[in-house]
Amino acid sequence: MWYQAGMLLPTLAALVLTQAPPPLTTVSEQSGWKRTGRYAEAESLCRAFPKAFPGKVRCDTIGTTPEGRPLLALVASADGTLTPAAAARKQRPVVFFQGGIHSGEIDGKDAGFWLLRDLLAGKEQPGVLKRVTAVFVPVFNVDGHERFNPNHRPNQVGPEEMGFRVTAQNLNLNRDYVKADAPETVLLLKYLNAWDPLVYVDLHVTDGAKFEPDVSVGLKPQKSGPPGLRALGTKLVDELFTGLTAQGHQPLRFYPSFRVDDDPTSGFAYGVPPPRFSHAFWSVHHRFGVLVETHSWKNYEQRVKATRDVLEGLLKLVARDGAALQAAVKAEDQRAVAGQVREVVLGWKNTSKREAIAFKGYAYERLPSDISGQPYIRYDDTQPQTWKVPYLPDVEPAVTAKLPEGGYLVSAAHAAWVAPKLAAHGIAFQRLTRAVPAAKVESFHSKDFQFQVRTNEGHQGLTAKGEWRPDTQDLPVGTLYVPVAQKNVQLVAHLFEPAGPDSLLTWGFFNAHFEQKEYIEDYVLEPFARELLAKDA
């Protein structure tokens, strides 16, 4: 028996080798794009890539999630430019892309591993990683990723099971970029700021109606933001879409959500979201933020391929045009540091311009529902149909703030929680080490304010209309001073200008200051009122 086993060993070894999957292939590829792997696969691949491509890949642990899982990133460069310091020294453009911020929308994870493997092996775009460093976070919402279930996204075609939209703390990371509540957000912000990527790409899957286009790419700035960057952003999208169309895709320049829910005839609009969203957040840093949304009704293989093709196209364009893009970004940084930015747009709206577009949808009919009593849409995706619908292509400022001459002051009473947020954002600030009595400042006054009825992301929001007025305040030791003459001036304004949609005030961090705290009895008020009337009726 011993000899028989010995004779069989070579045969068994050969059998095992022939059945082993190709190196660095994902569960998705191995399953024919039916499944996606659990997070253990991402951990294993992060360790395996540096071994397969020594000197060209790093596996970074950004930190640990609330449930104790590592938040990981792969850094890839063909010439070993694998740290923020090395990239800065070489003036190397960095493209940072992430999957799984909403972990049910997991196309980006599998597309990123697939693309990096082929780029590093020289199968695609040989030489591109000598001119650009790629930083890849496979899954941002790691704890949400492990809440696997087949029913998390009922109108998404594959994979068979997927993670959940929000974190273990039930926070939506793609609403958290400014307020930075989630521990995951704080970890990522510090890592993102260390790399300071030229382009930051967030990979999603959209829900919604049935139509033919398979991917939308929302790149900012194009029609908003610094004028010097708009033309470059538009050029990036134009050339990216030329390549995607040649590959058989039908890319969209706008987020494909109807202006009126469930009504195709309402059409679409180009929008500029507030900086709570990833791509808008990075664009207020006067860099390029990109939102990629594949379409949930395409199958998983189609969606992953579309995501990969977008990433490959962006890497190719940045590798080619990186120097010009970096020069434009540097010029905007210099303007901000020199204090030349005196006004910041906090919100945008569509202009009155309308145009008709031909949009490739499917035949549909609106019917009354005998179940809900409401009208509903029934699509027939066997019958392609071109819709003639309105489109709102342009935007204009809706909310604008004039910046203070010096900067913003945060009272010592709030410094303990504001300072860590500023640090996470890489915003420069100082602490007063000696008191300043009777300082000439401006303070915000509001009599017209309203609390939101429902909470949002655990906050009771506040809308306060008011104005800044000249004031005199004693500034104790520990008061924070946040100058506006700094690179992140736009983000500073979004944090501290009350009218901003993502200001700390709007999110409800200062609600206690809008509540009545002291009172006076009616029997005291009555004679006082009579006294006043007697003096001046």
Short mmCIF file of all heavy atoms in Angstrom, two decimals, residues 320-346:
data_model
loop_
_atom_site.label_atom_id
_atom_site.label_comp_id
_atom_site.label_asym_id
_atom_site.label_seq_id
_atom_site.Cartn_x
_atom_site.Cartn_y
_atom_site.Cartn_z
N ARG A 320 -0.87 59.86 -20.32
CA ARG A 320 -0.49 60.71 -21.45
C ARG A 320 -0.47 62.19 -21.10
O ARG A 320 0.45 62.92 -21.48
CB ARG A 320 -1.47 60.46 -22.61
CG ARG A 320 -1.07 61.12 -23.93
CD ARG A 320 -2.22 61.11 -24.91
NE ARG A 320 -3.28 62.04 -24.52
CZ ARG A 320 -4.47 62.11 -25.13
NH1 ARG A 320 -4.74 61.31 -26.14
NH2 ARG A 320 -5.37 62.99 -24.71
N ASP A 321 -1.50 62.66 -20.39
CA ASP A 321 -1.70 64.10 -20.17
C ASP A 321 -1.42 64.54 -18.75
O ASP A 321 -1.77 65.65 -18.36
CB ASP A 321 -3.14 64.49 -20.53
CG ASP A 321 -3.47 64.24 -22.00
OD1 ASP A 321 -2.53 64.19 -22.81
OD2 ASP A 321 -4.66 64.09 -22.32
N GLY A 322 -0.81 63.67 -17.96
CA GLY A 322 -0.64 63.96 -16.54
C GLY A 322 0.06 65.27 -16.25
O GLY A 322 -0.35 66.01 -15.35
N ALA A 323 1.09 65.60 -17.01
CA ALA A 323 1.86 66.82 -16.74
C ALA A 323 0.99 68.06 -16.90
O ALA A 323 1.02 68.97 -16.07
CB ALA A 323 3.08 66.88 -17.66
N ALA A 324 0.19 68.10 -17.98
CA ALA A 324 -0.66 69.27 -18.20
C ALA A 324 -1.75 69.36 -17.13
O ALA A 324 -2.06 70.46 -16.64
CB ALA A 324 -1.30 69.18 -19.59
N LEU A 325 -2.32 68.24 -16.75
CA LEU A 325 -3.35 68.23 -15.72
C LEU A 325 -2.77 68.68 -14.37
O LEU A 325 -3.38 69.47 -13.65
CB LEU A 325 -3.96 66.83 -15.59
CG LEU A 325 -4.73 66.31 -16.82
CD1 LEU A 325 -5.06 64.83 -16.65
CD2 LEU A 325 -5.99 67.11 -17.04
N GLN A 326 -1.58 68.19 -14.05
CA GLN A 326 -0.95 68.57 -12.79
C GLN A 326 -0.60 70.06 -12.77
O GLN A 326 -0.72 70.72 -11.73
CB GLN A 326 0.31 67.73 -12.57
CG GLN A 326 0.03 66.30 -12.14
CD GLN A 326 1.31 65.49 -12.01
OE1 GLN A 326 2.11 65.43 -12.94
NE2 GLN A 326 1.51 64.87 -10.86
N ALA A 327 -0.18 70.60 -13.89
CA ALA A 327 0.17 72.02 -13.95
C ALA A 327 -1.05 72.89 -13.68
O ALA A 327 -0.98 73.89 -12.95
CB ALA A 327 0.77 72.35 -15.31
N ALA A 328 -2.21 72.49 -14.23
CA ALA A 328 -3.43 73.26 -14.01
C ALA A 328 -3.87 73.18 -12.54
O ALA A 328 -4.30 74.18 -11.95
CB ALA A 328 -4.54 72.74 -14.92
N VAL A 329 -3.75 72.00 -11.95
CA VAL A 329 -4.11 71.83 -10.54
C VAL A 329 -3.17 72.64 -9.65
O VAL A 329 -3.60 73.29 -8.69
CB VAL A 329 -4.06 70.32 -10.18
CG1 VAL A 329 -4.00 70.12 -8.67
CG2 VAL A 329 -5.26 69.60 -10.77
N LYS A 330 -1.88 72.62 -9.97
CA LYS A 330 -0.90 73.38 -9.18
C LYS A 330 -1.21 74.88 -9.22
O LYS A 330 -1.09 75.59 -8.21
CB LYS A 330 0.51 73.12 -9.70
CG LYS A 330 1.60 73.79 -8.89
CD LYS A 330 2.98 73.45 -9.43
CE LYS A 330 4.07 74.14 -8.62
NZ LYS A 330 5.43 73.82 -9.16
N ALA A 331 -1.62 75.37 -10.37
CA ALA A 331 -1.96 76.79 -10.50
C ALA A 331 -3.15 77.15 -9.60
O ALA A 331 -3.16 78.21 -8.97
CB ALA A 331 -2.27 77.12 -11.95
N GLU A 332 -4.14 76.26 -9.52
CA GLU A 332 -5.28 76.51 -8.65
C GLU A 332 -4.86 76.47 -7.17
O GLU A 332 -5.34 77.27 -6.36
CB GLU A 332 -6.40 75.50 -8.91
CG GLU A 332 -7.08 75.65 -10.26
CD GLU A 332 -7.75 77.00 -10.42
OE1 GLU A 332 -8.23 77.56 -9.40
OE2 GLU A 332 -7.80 77.51 -11.55
N ASP A 333 -3.98 75.54 -6.83
CA ASP A 333 -3.45 75.48 -5.46
C ASP A 333 -2.76 76.79 -5.09
O ASP A 333 -2.95 77.33 -3.99
CB ASP A 333 -2.46 74.34 -5.31
CG ASP A 333 -3.12 72.97 -5.24
OD1 ASP A 333 -4.36 72.91 -5.16
OD2 ASP A 333 -2.39 71.96 -5.25
N GLN A 334 -1.96 77.30 -5.99
CA GLN A 334 -1.22 78.53 -5.73
C GLN A 334 -2.14 79.71 -5.54
O GLN A 334 -1.90 80.57 -4.68
CB GLN A 334 -0.21 78.78 -6.85
CG GLN A 334 0.94 77.77 -6.87
CD GLN A 334 1.83 77.89 -8.09
OE1 GLN A 334 1.43 78.46 -9.11
NE2 GLN A 334 3.04 77.35 -8.01
N ARG A 335 -3.21 79.79 -6.33
CA ARG A 335 -4.19 80.85 -6.16
C ARG A 335 -4.82 80.80 -4.76
O ARG A 335 -4.99 81.83 -4.09
CB ARG A 335 -5.31 80.75 -7.20
CG ARG A 335 -4.95 81.18 -8.61
CD ARG A 335 -6.18 81.17 -9.51
NE ARG A 335 -7.17 82.15 -9.07
CZ ARG A 335 -8.38 81.85 -8.61
NH1 ARG A 335 -8.77 80.59 -8.52
NH2 ARG A 335 -9.22 82.79 -8.25
N ALA A 336 -5.15 79.59 -4.32
CA ALA A 336 -5.79 79.43 -3.02
C ALA A 336 -4.84 79.79 -1.89
O ALA A 336 -5.21 80.52 -0.96
CB ALA A 336 -6.29 77.99 -2.86
N VAL A 337 -3.62 79.32 -1.96
CA VAL A 337 -2.63 79.59 -0.90
C VAL A 337 -2.32 81.08 -0.83
O VAL A 337 -2.07 81.63 0.25
CB VAL A 337 -1.35 78.75 -1.14
CG1 VAL A 337 -0.25 79.17 -0.19
CG2 VAL A 337 -1.66 77.27 -0.97
N ALA A 338 -2.34 81.75 -1.97
CA ALA A 338 -2.06 83.19 -2.02
C ALA A 338 -3.24 84.03 -1.56
O ALA A 338 -3.16 85.26 -1.52
CB ALA A 338 -1.66 83.58 -3.43
N GLY A 339 -4.35 83.38 -1.21
CA GLY A 339 -5.52 84.13 -0.75
C GLY A 339 -6.29 84.81 -1.85
O GLY A 339 -7.04 85.76 -1.60
N GLN A 340 -6.14 84.33 -3.09
CA GLN A 340 -6.81 84.97 -4.22
C GLN A 340 -8.23 84.46 -4.43
O GLN A 340 -8.95 84.99 -5.28
CB GLN A 340 -5.98 84.75 -5.49
CG GLN A 340 -4.62 85.43 -5.44
CD GLN A 340 -3.74 85.07 -6.63
OE1 GLN A 340 -4.15 84.33 -7.52
NE2 GLN A 340 -2.52 85.58 -6.65
N VAL A 341 -8.63 83.42 -3.69
CA VAL A 341 -10.01 82.94 -3.77
C VAL A 341 -10.83 83.70 -2.74
O VAL A 341 -10.64 83.55 -1.54
CB VAL A 341 -10.08 81.42 -3.50
CG1 VAL A 341 -11.54 80.95 -3.54
CG2 VAL A 341 -9.24 80.65 -4.50
N ARG A 342 -11.72 84.55 -3.19
CA ARG A 342 -12.50 85.41 -2.29
C ARG A 342 -13.97 85.00 -2.22
O ARG A 342 -14.72 85.54 -1.42
CB ARG A 342 -12.41 86.88 -2.75
CG ARG A 342 -11.02 87.45 -2.86
CD ARG A 342 -10.18 87.25 -1.60
NE ARG A 342 -10.91 87.60 -0.39
CZ ARG A 342 -10.64 87.09 0.80
NH1 ARG A 342 -9.68 86.20 0.94
NH2 ARG A 342 -11.33 87.46 1.85
N GLU A 343 -14.37 84.09 -3.07
CA GLU A 343 -15.77 83.68 -3.11
C GLU A 343 -15.83 82.20 -3.46
O GLU A 343 -15.05 81.71 -4.29
CB GLU A 343 -16.51 84.52 -4.16
CG GLU A 343 -18.02 84.41 -4.12
CD GLU A 343 -18.67 85.41 -5.07
OE1 GLU A 343 -18.76 85.09 -6.27
OE2 GLU A 343 -19.07 86.49 -4.62
N VAL A 344 -16.75 81.48 -2.84
CA VAL A 344 -16.90 80.05 -3.09
C VAL A 344 -18.37 79.76 -3.40
O VAL A 344 -19.26 80.22 -2.68
CB VAL A 344 -16.44 79.22 -1.87
CG1 VAL A 344 -16.81 77.75 -2.04
CG2 VAL A 344 -14.93 79.35 -1.68
N VAL A 345 -18.60 78.99 -4.45
CA VAL A 345 -19.96 78.54 -4.77
C VAL A 345 -20.24 77.30 -3.93
O VAL A 345 -19.53 76.31 -4.00
CB VAL A 345 -20.10 78.22 -6.27
CG1 VAL A 345 -21.52 77.72 -6.56
CG2 VAL A 345 -19.80 79.46 -7.12
N LEU A 346 -21.30 77.38 -3.12
CA LEU A 346 -21.66 76.28 -2.23
C LEU A 346 -22.74 75.38 -2.80
O LEU A 346 -22.92 74.26 -2.32
CB LEU A 346 -22.15 76.86 -0.90
CG LEU A 346 -21.16 77.74 -0.13
CD1 LEU A 346 -21.83 78.37 1.08
CD2 LEU A 346 -19.93 76.94 0.30
#
